[in-house]
Amino acid sequence: MAAIKKILMLPGDGIGPEVVEEVRRVMGWMEKRGLISFELEEDLIGGSCIDEYGVPLRSETIGLAKSADAVLLGAVGGPKWDNVAFDVRPEAGLLEMRKELGLFANLRPAVVFDALADSSSLKREVILGLNILIVRELTGGIYFGEPRGVETLPDGGRRGYNTLVYTTDEVHRIGRVGFELALKRNGRLCSVDKANVLECTRMWREEINRIAEDFPSVELSHMLVDNAAMQIVRDPQQFDVIVTTNMFGDILSDAASMATGSLGMLPSASLGSLDNSGNRNALYEPVHGTAPDIAGQGKANPLAMVLSFAMMLRYSFNMDEVADSIEHSVESVLNLGLRTRDIMTEGKTCVSTSAMGDAVIAALEKLYK
Ligand code: IPM
Ligand code: MG
């Protein structure tokens, strides 16, 4: 009998529900095929949760996430909530979820499908065959550092401040993930920091060098973040795995996404540490946002969401074979010339969100015939 996996679905705001819907259909296909059984729960996060409960995330939802085998999240935020109090804005719900589940390791692969080489704003020869993995620290750094705030000064001016902070343990924990993934890939790890200006990231660099001793077969390099941003658009192929801080990873992953043609193509996995029984908390979400301008119109690209689900199968359920099949299916629908609006180029066929989902499922059917 197929394994039963408990998934918490958090569609969120904007295009979140539409793209999650396409994953639900892929899940249904897997169940029909007898590959797995899902027990799905659904809850609110972000703006939709604010509308219903006045907060972007409820403790009940954190509980559900902890007891689920994995969480699938769409996206959160939108202009509708621009004026809510800062500590209950939609994004705060996502950050709290990451923190509460201890999801310190954020894996953001940027892979260029050959068929999309012309959708990138970069030259074809620069990005053809690109396959890099950004490992972003996700529960520390300036996103969470204290003290933080905005205060009013005696002269009536204001002073805003945030704190960039990492401990050795935090650096080692994410560093090891970077080294281990480099071992499984092409053996190269580039650690990105701003060691020429920020003491905290100077210490980051020293600690990464320290754990490098445990991974003699990985070729380690260091790069300053400004240079890394430039290199990602100049010659992204030089990278294999990049490991970096929370904020630098946020920025570099958006830059890397454009190399792949669209933010609508980038999946991500956020992982906690393994417990004694070999389980860990995990959340899978696309890197893209809620795209409120096209929400509800069937124009969203569901592929980053579908690819995030493939990452779930790979990292949470060890179902590499089905994950491979889903990735191949995405590739084959692109090869057929189907495109959502964000990746549309001349001569291709522009399709809706659900038509893209249909095509992925048809491609899966073909693989499993
Ligand atoms: C991301 C997003 C989030 C982040 C926002 C929505 C809080 O940009 O996942 O990259 O900054 O981490
Ligand atoms: Mg971001």
Side-chain angles (χ1 to χ4, degrees):
M1 216 191 82
I4 301 179
K5 299 293 181 192
K6 223 168 120 181
I7 314 286
L8 175 63
M9 311 285 273
L10 298 173
D13 311 319
I15 60 170
E18 295 162 65
V19 294
V20 164
E21 184 55 32
E22 297 314 310
V23 170
R24 223 187 279 274
R25 296 174 61 208
V26 175
M27 289 173 149
W29 174 85
M30 283 181 74
E31 289 189 308
K32 212 176 72 195
R33 284 272 153 178
L35 297 168
I36 194 169
S37 284
F38 291 109
E39 199 185 306
L40 301 187
E41 281 192 279
E42 184 170 332
D43 210 342
L44 299 174
I45 190 170
S48 53
C49 192
I50 296 175
D51 289 349
E52 188 81 17
Y53 301 104
V55 289
L57 180 67
R58 295 177 309 139
S59 53
E60 290 90 323
T61 314
I62 297 172
L64 287 175
K66 285 184 178 161
S67 65
D69 293 307
V71 181
L72 194 81
L73 188 141
V76 297
K80 182 175 173 200
W81 303 281
D82 275 353
N83 296 319
V84 302
F86 186 72
D87 57 336
V88 294
R89 71 202 186 285
E91 291 79 4
L94 177 57
L95 296 174
E96 190 184 349
M97 180 65 93
R98 290 172 177 170
K99 190 73 174 176
E100 283 291 325
L101 295 190
L103 306 173
F104 70 94
N106 184 215
L107 278 41
R108 299 190 158 183
V111 175
V112 171
F113 291 96
D114 287 359
L116 286 190
D118 293 320
S119 301
S120 174
S121 49
L122 301 182
K123 288 196 199 100
R124 188 183 172 84
E125 60 270 25
V126 173
I127 48 106
L128 205 62
L130 180 75
N131 185 335
I132 65 182
L133 176 61
I134 297 183
V135 178
R136 168 188 177 194
E137 199 290 324
L138 202 61
T139 51
I142 199 165
Y143 269 55
F144 294 95
E146 299 281 349
R148 60 190 300 158
V150 180
E151 61 193 22
T152 303
L153 299 170
D155 69 358
R158 295 195 300 160
R159 178 174 172 270
Y161 51 96
N162 287 89
T163 304
L164 172 61
V165 52
Y166 275 111
T167 61
T168 44
D169 284 353
E170 287 176 306
V171 179
H172 290 186
R173 179 167 82 154
I174 192 70
R176 287 188 184 282
V177 172
F179 278 103
E180 273 152 19
L181 289 165
L183 275 180
K184 289 195 192 147
R185 292 172 46 107
N186 294 319
R188 286 180 295 118
L189 179 66
C190 179
S191 170
V192 172
D193 59 39
K194 188 71 184 172
N196 56 345
V197 177
L198 305 171
E199 289 84 346
C200 175
T201 70
R202 191 176 183 86
M203 173 280 235
W204 168 288
R205 186 179 286 214
E206 290 160 5
E207 295 302 326
I208 294 281
N209 278 331
R210 199 156 287 159
I211 53 175
E213 292 164 16
D214 297 341
F215 300 90
S217 55
V218 172
E219 187 190 312
L220 172 68
S221 58
H222 299 278
M223 200 179 275
L224 298 173
V225 64
D226 47 352
N227 185 23
M230 188 268 279
Q231 296 297 341
I232 282 176
V233 290
R234 191 189 74 93
D235 173 25
Q237 311 262 10
Q238 69 185 283
F239 298 107
D240 178 17
V241 180
I242 292 176
V243 66
T244 190
T245 64
N246 201 342
M247 186 157 82
F248 294 163
D250 177 45
I251 299 167
L252 294 181
S253 57
D254 267 30
S257 77
M258 265 336 279
T260 72
S262 167
L263 201 45
M265 294 302 299
L266 238 71
S268 87
S270 305
L271 310 174
S273 353
L274 285 174
D275 65 16
N276 294 334
S277 28
N279 299 318
R280 64 176 153 212
N281 289 331
L283 179 148
Y284 300 85
E285 59 174 322
V287 173
H288 65 67
T290 53
D293 53 320
I294 57 162
Q297 301 169 33
K299 291 179 180 166
N301 182 350
L303 296 179
M305 190 78 244
V306 168
L307 293 169
S308 301
F309 173 62
M311 289 187 88
M312 176 189 291
L313 297 175
R314 201 181 288 287
Y315 291 100
S316 286
F317 306 145
N318 289 320
M319 298 182 78
D320 286 37
E321 209 172 296
V322 190
D324 285 346
S325 304
I326 292 175
E327 287 162 7
H328 285 146
S329 299
V330 167
E331 182 157 23
S332 74
V333 303
L334 295 172
N335 288 341
L336 285 174
L338 304 187
R339 301 284 187 274
T340 42
R341 225 180 44 150
D342 55 311
I343 47 175
M344 183 64 190
T345 46
E346 216 186 303
K348 305 297 180 203
T349 314
C350 192
V351 299
S352 67
T353 309
S354 62
M356 191 56 111
D358 289 340
V360 170
I361 290 169
L364 277 168
E365 281 288 346
K366 222 166 159 185
L367 279 177
Y368 280 76
K369 210 164 53 195

